[in-house]
């Protein structure tokens, strides 16, 4: 009875998040704290300690020191993941009725924030790789083409969002895009959930972080891309486009009044690992090991795709005719657990724990998988989403979400307005947003997606009642 025994079971090789790898990559300071009597550290916001929204106390001081060390002006620790901080950040930069420019690959938390805050997401399309079914991040020229399509009648854009890097570790140079968006007078929020380690500047070949690129608000998920416990995250701010008081007000709306001292301690310790010599040495070693691992696996014939984050390994299962979802199930049953199964790929997170013997294990498992499921031919190419370069939903997201609705089969939804998200998780990127009107091409594409993600996408969708 109960799931507690499951948590301490230690079987198989786990290449999933959180990145501390079941404790092996946790910061030394946190480990030392956890060696004290269990629970002794579980404290409320006592005056001496304070909390993320207090001006005084040890947590406030820790946030100030962390911001200086990372190169930002202000920082707030979060205990509800990147989700909670992204939502607070978005509500701080746009008022009800305004619109926010964002790429199609935003995490669902941002669309949900649009519903909460009565904001309109103006969504732009992204480069699409048909061999694997992934979108890539935009670059400067791509964004310029998007901006050339503006304005959209009746839509007032107040701010912009970028995602950097993607879940799979694809990144481009953010700076020209941030400069371009600033030239329009918009503050820029960057969802850098998967790229906290870029801010360490430990390694010249890692992409520049959004902090260096001059974004106004940046969210790092510390459990995805640093050594934080699950739910830890941090929001940074810099420059004078966003008033920190507006950020604090929306954090106050959306964060708990009882932040866990354990999670706050984990925020401090994981950030300290990104800035201080011992942590930097550990990260540098992990990056070097990860690059060597990829070279060896490629030499052994594993189809690994190029990306910009060495800690994410993208196995291109589609190249051998295998769905990433099926590969994941087969490998998991044999003790190799990945992070992100998708129709064309399986992405592994190497994380911050040392990975011994992984070349042999992955090679052996890949050969087994090929023998069991390989087709000798690649899967058919994936269809890009049939979307204009840029669109605003036909109806405000919040209105559609709250409207009278009914459930219809996707095939019957042509001409109807969606009243919910369609969103496989992971990766948590919506394929359909409430308020969008479905045409024939979009419905056909969604049916194709449903075939590709049978357990993740239902055959029905909630649409607004007529
Ligand atoms: C790009 C991106 N942003 C934000 C989030 C939300 O992060 P969290 O799980 O820390 O709330 C995710 C989660 O998968 C994500 O992939």
């Amino acid at each position: 009875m109960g799931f507690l025994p499951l948590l301490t079971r230690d079987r198989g090789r786990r290449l999933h998040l959180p990145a501390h790898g079941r404790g092996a990559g946790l910061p030394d300071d946190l480990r030392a704290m956890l060696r004290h009597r269990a629970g002794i550290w579980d404290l409320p916001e006592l005056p001496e300690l304070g909390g993320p929204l207090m001006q005084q106390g040890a947590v406030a001081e820790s946030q100030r020191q962390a911001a200086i060390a990372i190169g930002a002006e202000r920082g707030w620790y979060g205990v509800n993941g990147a989700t909670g901080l992204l939502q607070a950040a978005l509500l701080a930069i746009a008022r009800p009725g305004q619109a926010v420019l964002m790429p199609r690959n935003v995490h669902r938390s941002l669309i949900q924030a649009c519903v909460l805050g009565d904001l309109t997401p103006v969504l732009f399309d992204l480069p699409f790789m048909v061999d694997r079914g992934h979108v890539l991040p935009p670059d400067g020229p791509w964004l310029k083409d998007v901006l050339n399509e503006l304005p959209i009648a009746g839509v007032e854009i107040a701010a912009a969002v970028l995602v950097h890097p993607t879940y799979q570790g694809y990144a481009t140079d953010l700076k020209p895009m941030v400069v371009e968006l600033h030239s329009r007078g918009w503050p820029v929020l960057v969802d850098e959930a998967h790229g906290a380690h870029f801010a360490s500047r430990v390694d010249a070949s890692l992409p520049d972080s959004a902090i260096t690129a001059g974004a106004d608000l940046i969210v790092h998920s510390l459990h995805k891309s640093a050594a934080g416990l699950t739910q830890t995250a941090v929001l940074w701010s810099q420059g004078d486009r966003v008033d920190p008081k507006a950020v604090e007000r929306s954090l106050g709306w959306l964060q708990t009044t009882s932040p866990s001292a354990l999670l706050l301690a984990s925020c401090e310790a994981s950030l300290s690992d990104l800035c201080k010599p011992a942590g930097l040495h550990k990260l540098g070693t992990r990056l070097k090991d990860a690059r060597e691992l990829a070279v060896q696996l490629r030499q052994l014939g594993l189809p690994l795709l190029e990306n910009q984050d060495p800690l994410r390994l993208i196995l291109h299962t589609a190249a051998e005719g295998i769905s990433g979802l099926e590969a994941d199930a087969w490998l998991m049953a044999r003790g190799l657990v990945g992070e992100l199964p998708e129709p064309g790929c399986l992405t592994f997170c190497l994380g911050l724990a040392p990975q011994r013997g992984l070349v042999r294990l992955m090679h052996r498992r890949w050969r087994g998988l090929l023998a069991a499921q390989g087709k000798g031919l690649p899967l058919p190419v994936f269809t890009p989403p049939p979307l204009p370069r840029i669109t605003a939903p036909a109806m405000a997201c919040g209105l559609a979400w709250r409207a009278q609705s009914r459930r219809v089969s996707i095939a019957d939804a042509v001409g109807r307005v969606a009243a919910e998200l369609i969103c496989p998780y992971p990766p948590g990127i919506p394929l359909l947003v409430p308020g969008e009107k479905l045409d024939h091409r979009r419905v056909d594409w969604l049916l194709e997606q449903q075939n590709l993600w049978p357990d993740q996408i239902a055959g029905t969708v909630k649409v607004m009642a007529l």
Side-chain angles (χ1 to χ4, degrees):
M1 163 75 185
F3 65 87
L4 268 64
L6 268 184
L7 301 187
T8 44
R9 193 187 286 171
D10 196 11
R11 267 193 238 135
R13 183 65 74 103
R14 288 155 179 279
L15 300 178
H16 56 65
L17 298 174
H20 62 69
R22 304 209 84 198
L26 280 178
D28 293 341
D29 293 353
L30 194 77
R31 282 163 180 283
M33 191 190 88
L34 291 173
R35 278 197 285 271
H36 288 273
R37 193 176 77 230
I40 192 174
W41 26 256
D42 198 15
L43 291 168
E45 292 184 302
L46 298 168
E48 189 189 7
L49 189 58
L53 289 176
M54 295 189 181
Q55 302 307 318
Q56 310 297 330
V59 172
E61 185 52 29
S62 168
Q63 292 179 156
R64 277 193 283 276
Q65 296 298 330
I68 293 168
I70 209 97
E73 285 166 22
R74 295 288 304 265
W76 295 270
Y77 298 158
V79 297
N80 181 25
T83 295
L85 295 182
L86 284 167
Q87 294 183 330
L90 195 68
L91 297 191
I93 54 177
R95 289 194 308 275
Q98 290 185 320
V100 181
L101 182 72
M102 44 181 91
R104 272 278 165 190
N105 66 338
V106 283
H107 186 253
R108 67 183 186 195
S109 52
L110 284 163
I111 301 298
Q112 287 158 345
C114 289
V115 171
L116 283 176
D118 190 19
L119 308 175
T120 299
V122 174
L123 294 160
F124 64 91
D125 200 19
L126 293 166
F128 184 82
M129 302 296 282
V130 294
D131 62 339
R132 63 199 75 170
H134 284 164
V135 292
L136 296 184
D139 58 10
W142 184 279
L143 186 70
K144 274 208 166 120
D145 286 348
V146 166
L147 296 175
N148 284 340
E149 307 260 326
L150 293 174
I152 299 176
V155 172
E156 180 205 348
I157 295 181
V161 172
L162 295 171
V163 179
H164 174 261
T166 68
Y167 209 138
Q168 302 86 359
Y170 300 116
T172 47
D173 185 8
L174 271 187
K175 196 165 191 166
M177 293 189 282
V178 173
V179 169
E180 181 69 37
L181 294 165
H182 280 165
S183 77
R184 307 257 167 164
W186 300 327
V188 180
L189 160 64
V190 178
D191 175 356
E192 205 164 51
H194 295 280
H197 55 316
F198 295 174
S200 70
R201 286 167 283 181
V202 66
D203 185 320
S205 50
L206 275 184
D208 281 344
S209 87
I211 300 175
T212 313
D216 305 275
L217 296 176
I218 302 100
V219 172
H220 286 152
S221 171
L222 297 173
H223 62 103
K224 295 188 194 307
S225 48
L229 293 172
T230 297
Q231 284 189 221
T232 55
V234 61
L235 168 61
W236 305 112
S237 82
Q238 58 185 353
D240 51 13
R241 288 181 190 82
V242 181
D243 180 356
K245 293 229 166 1
V247 176
E248 288 183 336
R249 192 179 47 174
S250 49
L251 284 168
W253 290 335
L254 295 177
Q255 295 283 294
T256 173
T257 46
S258 315
S260 150
L262 171 63
L263 295 185
L264 295 173
S266 168
C267 289
E268 176 181 275
S270 55
L271 285 167
S272 164
D273 259 13
L274 290 184
C275 301
K276 295 204 177 134
L280 288 173
H281 177 73
K282 196 161 65 176
L283 175 59
T285 309
R286 294 289 87 82
L287 289 166
K288 184 170 148 286
D289 291 351
R291 290 195 178 99
E292 282 170 17
L293 174 75
V295 168
Q296 291 179 38
L297 291 174
R298 285 196 178 101
Q299 280 167 357
L300 290 167
L302 274 80
L304 297 181
L305 294 168
E306 294 290 341
N307 62 2
Q308 284 64 47
D309 180 0
L311 299 180
R312 302 284 157 104
L313 281 188
I314 315 172
L315 183 64
H316 189 202
T317 56
E320 293 293 338
I322 306 171
S323 143
L325 303 163
E326 285 166 16
D328 184 48
W330 192 92
L331 291 169
M332 201 180 314
R334 287 154 187 83
L336 179 60
V337 191
E339 165 66 19
L340 173 61
E342 296 174 281
C345 297
L346 175 58
T347 300
F348 298 96
C349 292
L350 297 174
L352 299 162
Q355 299 290 348
R356 294 195 185 88
L358 194 54
V359 174
R360 251 186 85 212
L361 176 69
M362 288 192 81
H363 182 222
R364 199 154 4 107
R365 292 288 176 272
W366 173 243
R367 288 197 13 210
L369 177 66
L370 272 186
Q373 301 194 354
K375 312 280 185 306
L377 273 180
L379 289 180
V381 292
F382 294 91
T383 315
L387 294 164
R389 196 184 289 274
I390 186 164
T391 38
M395 161 83 60
C397 281
L399 276 182
W401 187 287
R402 295 181 190 101
Q404 292 263 0
S405 63
R406 49 188 286 236
R407 192 161 278 288
V408 297
S409 73
I410 293 178
D412 291 335
V414 176
R416 310 297 294 267
V417 174
E420 67 174 356
L421 291 168
I422 292 187
C423 183
Y425 191 89
I429 296 170
L431 304 179
L432 180 71
V433 163
E436 286 193 296
K437 192 165 183 178
L438 286 148
D439 61 14
H440 270 289
R441 290 179 65 219
R442 191 80 181 275
V443 161
D444 288 347
W445 180 77
L446 285 172
L447 289 170
E448 211 177 306
Q449 299 307 305
Q450 200 220 338
N451 253 329
L452 294 170
W453 306 82
D455 298 331
Q456 300 254 16
I457 301 181
T460 59
V461 57
K462 242 161 99 178
V463 294
M464 286 177 64
L466 290 174

